């Protein structure tokens, strides 16, 4: 990319050559050689640079994949730095505007056609909303398998973007097969939140940017979480039993006000649950890898304290309600361990709206059977569908939901809207939001 300025001196040039040594580690080795008017040179090596008047960053996956050489002339300073960065090198999901020069280098809506394949049943609901895609997008095929997509309106190597409508487990092998055919794919969007089933080596090791529908289901899951807390606090099963027996049975109920909610996995879903808990005047603590509160988080006052994962037992021992909102990764597998469950208060309640395998289910069943904790509300399970012989079905201190806490009347349309919003950013050259960290797995 080269841009001239009337006052620019031809000798004031920065040539920046970037090579991605390890895409999965999200680092870029940047070597810039500044050539000044005396024909001497100074080498500049940097890993990460923030926005400043003398630096710009390229967050375009397409540009990075080409390992391009950028030339730019500057008018007012003999030496300026040019930094190419991976889109994940800054805080995830932070909105980053691309400089005008980089936006021009990307496919603009008025320029290159973006070929899109949609991995979904052709009769899937709400696909009609894709009619509002930016004008530069062209749907070249809709289907669930390579065979169904065999009559593409372009060559496989010309496919730029793939939209995965849903991430069913039985669907994963088909996704991998289509992914391998689209050899020049630049962006893969999954219209779900969890992407653990998609983290195959051929996808993780590729240059393809993956985004998900983060935030689309957070409020519905947060509402279910608070409903589950109230299910125990108000003893709704007792009310229903008394009603069925036509028995007028006054009894004391519990308030959520003043109780402490601990959130294991303070991500988008966890934060949504925390906001509703605050509305009930609950105390809120959280657990995540970064245990420091940012200035914005301190100002919002969303949580009172954040614990690191190694202190999960300490956190759970201090909570009346423990909400698990973890993604499934190698690091979170049974993170809510037997020891963590044993650390809970006798009147503690565990609510899981994340992934079933993040909780030691057998240890939880034992705690529930022995009345070591008050109860559990579970929307997800170690094995789904939950087997008919699972002891969870027979426990009266358990509330079960068939992985449907997020399935509102509009959840599919909401998920597709996240893709439409991302497509607008993609077409206009803006950085994508909700980029999946392939190493972290979410």
């Amino acid at each position: 990319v080269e841009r001239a300025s009337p006052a620019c001196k031809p000798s004031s040039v920065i040539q920046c050559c970037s090579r991605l040594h390890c895409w999965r580690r999200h680092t870029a080795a940047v070597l810039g050689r500044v050539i000044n008017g005396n024909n001497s040179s100074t080498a500049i090596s940097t890993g990460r640079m923030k926005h400043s008047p003398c630096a710009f960053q390229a967050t375009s996956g397409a540009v990075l994949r080409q390992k391009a050489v950028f030339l730019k002339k500057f008018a007012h300073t003999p030496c300026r730095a040019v930094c190419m960065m991976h889109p994940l090198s800054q805080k995830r999901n932070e909105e980053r505007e691309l400089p005008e020069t980089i936006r021009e280098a990307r496919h603009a809506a008025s320029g290159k056609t973006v070929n899109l394949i949609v991995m979904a049943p052709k009769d899937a609901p709400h696909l009609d909303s894709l009619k509002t895609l930016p004008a530069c997008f062209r749907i070249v095929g809709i289907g669930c398998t390579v065979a169904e997509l065999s009559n593409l309106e372009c060559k496989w190597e010309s496919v730029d973007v793939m939209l995965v409508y849903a991430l069913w487990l039985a669907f994963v092998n088909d996704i991998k097969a289509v992914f391998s055919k689209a050899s020049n794919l630049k962006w893969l969007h999954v219209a779900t939140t969890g992407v653990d089933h998609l983290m195959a080596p051929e996808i993780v090791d590729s240059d393809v940017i993956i985004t998900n529908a983060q935030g689309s289901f957070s409020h519905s899951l947060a509402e279910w979480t608070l409903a589950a807390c109230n299910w125990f606090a108000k003893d709704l099963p007792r009310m229903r039993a008394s009603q069925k027996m036509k028995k007028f049975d006054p009894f004391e109920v519990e308030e959520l006000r003043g109780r402490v909610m601990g959130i294991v996995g303070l991500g988008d879903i966890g934060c949504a649950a925390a906001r509703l808990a605050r509305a009930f005047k609950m105390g809120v603590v959280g657990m995540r890898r970064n245990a420091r509160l940012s200035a914005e988080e301190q100002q919002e006052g969303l949580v009172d304290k954040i614990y690191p994962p190694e202190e999960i037992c300490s956190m759970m021992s201090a909570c009346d309600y423990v909400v698990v909102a973890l993604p499934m990764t190698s690091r979170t597998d049974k993170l809510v361990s037997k020891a963590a469950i044993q650390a809970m208060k006798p009147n503690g309640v565990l609510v899981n709206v994340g992934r079933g395998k993040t909780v030691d289910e057998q240890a939880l069943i034992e705690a529930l059977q022995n009345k070591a904790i008050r109860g559990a509300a579970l929307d997800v399970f170690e094995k789904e569908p939950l087997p008919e012989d699972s002891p969870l079905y027979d426990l009266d201190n358990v509330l079960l939901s068939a992985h449907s806490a997020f399935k509102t009347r509009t959840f599919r349309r909401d998920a597709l809207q996240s893709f439409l919003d991302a497509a607008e950013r993609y077409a206009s050259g803006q950085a994508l939001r909700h980029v999946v960290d392939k190493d972290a797995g979410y």
Side-chain angles (χ1 to χ4, degrees):
V1 177
E2 183 174 324
R3 168 163 294 190
S5 174
C8 181
K9 297 179 181 180
S11 60
S12 299
V13 177
I14 288 182
Q15 181 173 349
C16 178
C17 181
S18 172
R19 179 184 178 189
L20 295 183
H21 291 294
C22 182
W23 182 281
R24 290 187 61 192
R25 294 298 174 192
H26 317 306
T27 56
V30 181
L31 177 63
R33 187 160 298 278
V34 181
I35 306 173
N36 60 28
N38 298 324
N39 294 323
S40 62
S41 63
T42 304
I44 301 175
S45 178
T46 179
R48 295 185 179 186
M49 295 181 67
K50 296 182 179 179
H51 290 296
S52 71
C54 63
F56 73 86
Q57 62 178 358
T59 55
S60 162
V63 175
L64 287 171
R65 288 176 66 251
Q66 297 170 0
K67 301 176 182 176
V69 174
F70 284 83
L71 297 177
K72 181 172 176 65
K73 299 176 181 178
F74 292 92
H76 306 297
T77 354
C79 174
R80 296 199 178 205
V82 177
C83 180
M84 289 182 62
M85 299 178 66
H86 187 280
L88 297 179
S89 61
Q90 287 188 322
K91 183 179 179 181
R92 293 177 67 242
N93 304 325
E94 178 185 352
E95 181 176 349
R96 300 181 295 276
E97 296 292 337
L98 294 181
E100 186 178 358
T101 48
I102 303 303
R103 288 202 299 270
E104 291 174 354
R106 293 185 66 164
H107 36 261
S110 59
K112 182 180 181 296
T113 297
V114 180
N115 292 321
L116 165 69
I117 56 174
V118 181
M119 290 205 67
K122 293 184 179 180
D123 59 349
H126 307 307
L127 286 185
D128 59 318
S129 62
L130 296 179
K131 294 177 182 178
T132 61
L133 278 166
C136 63
F137 273 74
R138 179 174 69 131
I139 299 176
V140 296
I142 301 177
C144 293
T145 64
V146 172
E148 291 180 9
L149 293 166
S150 58
N151 295 321
L152 288 181
E153 296 179 19
C154 71
K155 295 180 180 179
W156 279 105
E157 56 268 26
S158 298
V159 174
D160 302 296
V161 180
M162 181 193 302
L163 166 63
V164 176
Y165 178 77
L167 199 54
W168 304 298
L169 187 57
F171 195 27
V172 172
N173 287 334
D174 292 315
I175 295 172
K176 294 177 184 176
V178 172
F179 182 89
S180 64
K181 295 279 286 183
S183 56
N184 291 319
L185 192 70
K186 301 173 182 65
W187 171 32
L188 168 62
H189 181 84
V190 185
T192 63
T193 302
V195 294
D196 43 295
H197 299 313
L198 200 61
M199 293 292 99
E202 60 267 33
I203 296 177
V204 172
D205 294 336
S206 73
D207 291 351
V208 177
I209 294 175
I210 302 176
T211 56
N212 65 0
Q214 179 181 326
S216 299
F217 318 119
S218 297
H219 190 79
S220 57
L221 290 171
E223 283 192 14
W224 192 92
T225 294
L226 270 296
C229 293
N230 266 315
W231 195 83
F232 286 96
K234 310 307 180 191
D235 201 349
L236 298 184
R238 178 173 174 174
M239 293 182 186
R240 290 293 294 162
S242 297
Q243 180 180 343
K244 188 175 183 179
M245 293 186 294
K246 298 181 179 180
K247 178 183 178 182
F248 195 74
D249 178 31
F251 64 94
E252 289 185 355
V253 295
E254 179 183 296
E255 283 187 282
L256 293 182
R257 180 181 59 171
R259 303 296 179 180
V260 177
M261 175 184 286
I263 301 173
V264 183
L266 195 63
D268 202 80
I269 296 170
C271 286
R275 291 185 181 96
L276 291 189
R278 284 300 200 198
F280 280 86
K281 299 184 179 181
M282 299 180 74
V284 181
V285 296
M287 190 216 76
R288 68 183 184 197
R289 287 189 296 167
N290 179 11
R292 291 185 178 182
L293 284 167
S294 67
E296 293 80 5
E297 290 171 330
Q298 291 179 26
Q299 185 176 3
E300 184 180 6
L302 193 59
V303 294
D304 302 312
K305 182 179 180 180
I306 296 182
Y307 292 80
E310 55 269 20
E311 295 181 17
I312 186 171
C313 292
S314 297
M315 191 203 78
M316 289 177 63
S317 68
C319 300
D320 301 292
Y321 297 89
V322 175
V323 177
V324 183
L326 290 167
M328 181 59 204
T329 71
S330 58
R331 298 184 185 94
T332 62
D333 188 11
K334 289 185 172 58
L335 180 62
V336 182
S337 61
K338 183 175 183 177
I341 294 169
Q342 289 176 340
M344 290 179 66
K345 294 179 178 181
N347 68 331
V349 174
L350 187 140
V351 181
N352 192 358
V353 291
R355 281 290 186 262
K357 291 182 180 180
T358 61
V359 175
D360 187 332
E361 193 170 284
Q362 186 55 45
L364 177 62
I365 290 172
E366 291 175 5
L368 292 165
Q369 289 173 332
N370 298 330
K371 309 294 183 183
I373 62 174
R374 183 176 183 180
L378 308 172
D379 182 54
V380 291
F381 308 91
E382 187 173 320
K383 185 177 180 181
E384 296 182 10
L386 186 66
E388 292 183 3
D389 60 353
S390 172
L392 290 169
Y393 284 117
D394 300 318
L395 294 172
D396 58 7
N397 55 349
V398 175
L399 174 63
L400 298 183
S401 171
H403 203 152
S404 56
F406 67 98
K407 291 186 178 179
T408 63
R409 182 175 56 85
T410 62
F411 85 100
R412 288 286 188 210
R413 189 175 293 279
D414 293 341
L416 286 175
Q417 186 59 49
S418 72
F419 174 69
L420 294 173
D421 293 342
E424 291 286 352
R425 298 181 66 84
Y426 189 85
S428 62
Q430 300 178 70
L432 295 174
R433 297 170 176 167
H434 311 316
V435 176
V436 172
D437 184 332
K438 294 179 182 178
D439 268 352
Y442 59 90

